[in-house]
Amino acid sequence: AIAGIVIGCVAAACLVLSLYYVHRLKQQRLRYKKRFVQTVARNVSIAPSPGGMSADKLAAEFKHIDANGDGNISKTEMKDWLQDGKLGEISDTDFDAMWEAISGGDDTVNAIEFFVFLSSCGDAFDDVYNEQEKLSKEQRIALASRRLSAIAARDIKEKVEA
């Protein structure tokens, strides 16, 4: 009888810990997807869903992240892009989980993988879009200014490289 109680308690504890682990993974996924969309939103006007965004703007953002212009985004390029700006640091754990989700364990991400991952961030788009809708006029102007600066920097870089 005591052995049955002990086994039952251990099984219950394992179940609780498993549920907690699954919950933490879900929270991490939401966290890194939101961070990803926030970073996209710094340079591209976003819609409440990924489908409402211009393909040209998304392609330009992909090129912006692909600093060396080889058509693929490396892990270093992605981390630099995510940490560029005023959104703060992304934890190594969150970044590694996000990279694994985008790349499937590969060393680089191509445009298709980038867009597929972006399309999986639907809830994060809604959250970030709603946050942007609540910004004051001054905050919206600052956001637009950052976008224009990013566009100007890309244009200058392309002219210098040409």
Side-chain angles (χ1 to χ4, degrees):
I2 293 177
I5 293 173
V6 169
I7 290 172
C9 289
V10 169
C14 287
L15 178 64
V16 168
L17 289 174
S18 295
L19 291 173
Y20 178 72
Y21 177 73
V22 168
H23 172 74
R24 296 285 294 170
L25 283 178
K26 184 178 178 182
Q27 292 303 312
Q28 180 185 47
R29 226 175 290 120
L30 292 173
R31 205 172 39 246
Y32 68 65
K33 284 183 176 185
K34 185 172 181 179
R35 173 60 185 271
F36 188 81
V37 173
Q38 285 173 327
T39 308
V40 168
R42 283 192 333 223
N43 300 321
V44 177
S45 295
I46 66 165
S49 71
M53 296 180 65
S54 158
D56 292 337
K57 289 181 180 178
L58 290 176
E61 189 65 12
F62 180 86
K63 286 181 184 177
H64 172 72
I65 301 167
D66 179 19
N68 66 6
D70 67 354
N72 291 301
I73 299 171
S74 70
K75 196 170 183 177
T76 303
E77 289 170 330
M78 181 67 76
K79 185 126 187 185
D80 290 347
W81 174 72
L82 284 169
Q83 295 189 161
D84 178 34
K86 298 183 179 183
L87 292 176
E89 296 286 319
I90 183 171
S91 74
D92 289 339
T93 305
D94 283 357
F95 178 76
D96 289 341
M98 183 193 71
W99 182 258
E100 181 67 29
I102 296 173
S103 71
D106 295 339
D107 293 336
T108 60
V109 172
N110 63 34
I112 293 171
E113 291 168 322
F114 177 80
F115 297 133
V116 167
F117 178 75
L118 197 59
S119 70
S120 76
C121 297
D123 290 341
F125 269 88
D126 194 39
D127 290 347
V128 173
Y129 181 80
N130 289 333
E131 287 172 7
Q132 286 185 347
E133 289 295 303
K134 295 176 186 173
L135 294 176
S136 69
K137 183 178 180 179
E138 293 78 20
Q139 291 169 319
R140 287 176 190 248
I141 290 170
L143 184 61
S145 175
R146 279 196 299 271
R147 285 188 195 127
L148 291 173
S149 294
I151 292 167
R154 270 190 293 237
D155 289 347
I156 291 170
K157 182 180 176 185
E158 289 173 3
K159 288 178 184 177
V160 168
E161 291 174 352

